[in-house]
Amino acid sequence: MSTATPTTRPNGQSPEELQTPGSASTRKRRTHNKQDIQQRNEEQRQAMIENFDLEIEDKIRSMMVQLEADKMDLLLKADCEIAQLPKCVREMPLKTFLHEYGGEVSMAARGALSLEDQDDALFASLPETPLAIRVRRKAMASK
């Protein structure tokens, strides 16, 4: 009988040195690949977060610009509306305008100009407000 000695393979490796697909060095390489993949995924995630932050900052900046433009537009419209009021109403204290005349421009103008005793032709030249128009239409509809 012959003694069993490990034989060498043609490539010079003994059977113990041969690597199988499930050997430790292959698993280590796979683990290394998983680590690379995890690192790449983390880098991609960080890049996406940074990109998202930049987009949000840009959106906020553009919204602030739009807000400022809208604010200026509203102020201009308010100034135009106020400029259309008769001067005597513009100069009237707000408390007087609201309490004595109920916020009605034509009534405040009439009261400020003391037109109650004068004829209605002068009153007709004053601008009508939406409330005065509704009252007039209601009165005409009831006749």
Side-chain angles (χ1 to χ4, degrees):
M1 294 208 163
S2 67
T3 29
T5 60
T7 59
T8 59
R9 302 285 178 180
N11 61 3
Q13 291 179 330
S14 66
E16 293 83 24
E17 293 175 348
L18 287 176
Q19 296 186 6
T20 60
S23 71
S25 63
T26 305
R27 276 183 271 150
K28 187 175 183 182
R29 189 173 55 214
R30 283 186 192 158
T31 305
H32 183 68
N33 286 341
K34 285 182 183 178
Q35 289 173 349
D36 285 346
I37 291 170
Q38 287 174 348
Q39 184 178 1
R40 275 186 260 134
N41 287 343
E42 180 64 24
E43 289 171 358
Q44 288 175 346
R45 188 178 70 79
Q46 288 297 329
M48 288 174 63
I49 290 172
E50 289 174 10
N51 187 31
F52 179 75
D53 288 343
L54 290 173
E55 287 180 17
I56 293 298
E57 288 173 4
D58 186 51
K59 188 72 169 173
I60 290 171
R61 202 172 306 116
S62 68
M63 290 174 91
M64 293 299 280
V65 167
Q66 184 64 43
L67 178 67
E68 192 63 32
D70 290 346
K71 179 179 135 185
M72 295 305 292
D73 187 45
L74 285 173
L75 287 173
L76 181 63
K77 286 180 181 180
D79 287 344
C80 288
E81 290 291 323
I82 291 171
Q84 291 177 357
L85 295 173
K87 186 175 181 180
C88 59
V89 175
R90 278 184 279 164
E91 294 173 349
M92 184 180 293
L94 183 62
K95 186 175 182 179
T96 305
F97 177 69
L98 293 175
H99 290 296
E100 291 183 24
Y101 303 107
E104 179 57 41
V105 175
S106 58
M107 296 296 290
R110 178 182 281 196
L113 296 175
S114 302
L115 294 177
E116 296 154 347
D117 298 333
Q118 298 178 8
D119 74 353
D120 290 333
L122 186 58
F123 176 68
S125 67
L126 294 174
E128 285 190 340
T129 62
L131 180 60
I133 293 170
R134 283 195 302 267
V135 169
R136 185 171 41 88
R137 286 184 184 160
K138 198 175 202 180
M140 290 173 63
S142 65
K143 288 183 181 181

